[in-house]
Amino acid sequence: MRLHRFYIPEPIGKDQTIHVGNRDLLHQWAKVFRFAIGDTIILFSGDGFEYEAVIELISKKEAIVHTINASRTVPAPKITLHVFLSVIKKARFELAVEKCTEIGAAAFHPVIAEHNDKRELNIERLKKIAIEAAEQSGRGTVPGVGEPEKLEAAIKKFSGKMFVLDFGAENFSKAFEKFSALVPVGVFVGPEGGWTDAERTLFKKYRIQQVSLGTQVLRAETAAIAGSAAILL
C-alpha cells in the first residue's frame, strides 16, 4: 500500500525524532486519515529526500514521529518554471496552482493585469494547495506563491528567459526549440479578457517573446496548465 506523504518545513534527518505541532496537519492525520500510534507515513521538507517515519504519539496538540528510512525524491524538472498568471477567479486560480504544481512548476507569481476583474487572492490558501499537490504528486519541493503585483513590476523582478502566451503569435513549440534550459523560464498568462495593447507594448519593450499554444481560445487556467506541460513534460 502506498504511504501518504506530508510536507513539513523543518529540517529532517534519518533516525530523528520530530515533534509536529501544526494544527491543520494534526487534524488531517487524526480526523481525515485516522492515523494511530505505529502507523507509517512519508515526510519531506524540500531537501531532495523523503523519510519514512513511524508515529509514536498523536493527539490534538502534538504528534511525535521517528524517521527510520531515507530515499531520494523524484528529481526536479531540468527547467525551472515560473508561472506568471493574471489574477482570475478564485477557483480557477486554485486549479492552475494545483495542476501546475503536479506538473513541476517552481513558483507562481500572481499578476495584476488591466482586464482583471479581481485583484486579490488568498495567498495562504494557495500555498496550502501547492503543498497538498506536491504531497500527492511525489515531488520533493513545494513551489512558492508570491503576492499579486503589477505586470511591469513582475517583469522587472524576474531574471531569466520570458515568454508571454498570446493568441495568434508564433507556435510555442517552435519558439521553445531555440531555448536553452540553463536559465529559469517565466511564462506570462493573461486574464480572461486578454492582454491590452498597452500590455503588449510593454512586453515588446522588455523583448519578451510572444508565443501561442494553438488556434483554440483557452481559459487562463487552461493556458497556464497547458503551457507548463508543454515546457516541463
Side-chain angles (χ1 to χ4, degrees):
M1 182 179 70
R2 182 184 176 188
L3 298 177
H4 293 286
R5 302 175 75 249
F6 301 96
Y7 170 80
I8 60 173
E10 296 83 7
I12 308 173
K14 185 179 177 182
D15 194 25
Q16 177 181 342
T17 298
I18 300 171
H19 295 255
V20 179
N22 183 289
R23 290 186 177 182
D24 290 338
L25 199 56
L26 291 174
H27 175 80
Q28 189 180 23
W29 288 4
K31 301 299 182 181
V32 179
F33 294 106
R34 299 187 181 279
F35 290 146
I37 293 173
D39 286 342
T40 304
I41 57 176
I42 298 292
L43 299 178
F44 70 101
S45 63
D47 64 351
F49 289 86
E50 59 183 23
Y51 300 84
E52 190 174 341
V54 177
I55 297 175
E56 297 184 338
L57 180 147
I58 185 166
S59 68
K60 292 181 179 180
K61 295 182 178 181
E62 183 186 37
I64 298 175
V65 299
H66 191 84
T67 58
I68 53 176
N69 291 312
S71 59
R72 289 195 175 274
T73 55
V74 175
K78 294 181 179 179
I79 297 171
T80 302
L81 175 64
H82 292 247
V83 179
F84 292 82
L85 177 58
S86 298
V87 178
I88 54 177
K89 291 181 179 179
K90 172 185 172 183
R92 291 175 181 170
F93 203 105
E94 291 176 356
L95 177 64
V97 168
E98 179 185 61
K99 298 308 174 186
C100 292
T101 296
E102 292 176 12
I103 292 168
F108 298 94
H109 306 270
V111 172
I112 298 173
E114 292 187 28
H115 282 164
N116 280 142
D117 293 329
K118 298 182 179 293
R119 293 177 179 245
E120 295 181 357
L121 291 168
N122 186 334
I123 301 301
E124 290 307 310
R125 174 166 170 75
L126 291 174
K127 289 179 178 178
K128 289 181 180 179
I129 289 171
I131 289 172
E132 291 172 359
E135 291 172 345
Q136 181 275 326
S137 61
R139 62 181 287 174
T141 59
V142 175
V145 182
E147 294 288 338
E149 57 186 350
K150 292 184 178 180
L151 178 60
E152 189 165 14
I155 292 172
K156 287 181 176 180
K157 283 184 179 180
F158 186 68
S159 178
K161 175 64 177 177
M162 290 179 274
F163 296 94
V164 54
L165 298 184
D166 204 0
F167 188 73
E170 180 184 9
N171 185 275
F172 187 84
S173 60
K174 292 181 180 179
F176 202 70
E177 286 175 358
K178 309 169 188 176
F179 172 67
S180 168
L182 298 178
V183 297
V185 176
V187 174
F188 288 80
V189 183
E192 299 298 344
W195 301 112
T196 64
D197 290 340
E199 288 168 335
R200 290 189 176 97
T201 299
L202 192 63
F203 290 127
K204 290 180 181 178
K205 173 185 174 181
Y206 288 97
R207 298 182 180 180
I208 299 173
Q209 187 171 358
Q210 294 176 299
V211 293
S212 170
L213 290 172
T215 57
Q216 298 92 337
V217 178
L218 305 179
R219 286 190 180 276
E221 71 276 16
T222 306
I225 297 166
S228 297
I231 294 170
L232 298 177
L233 301 182

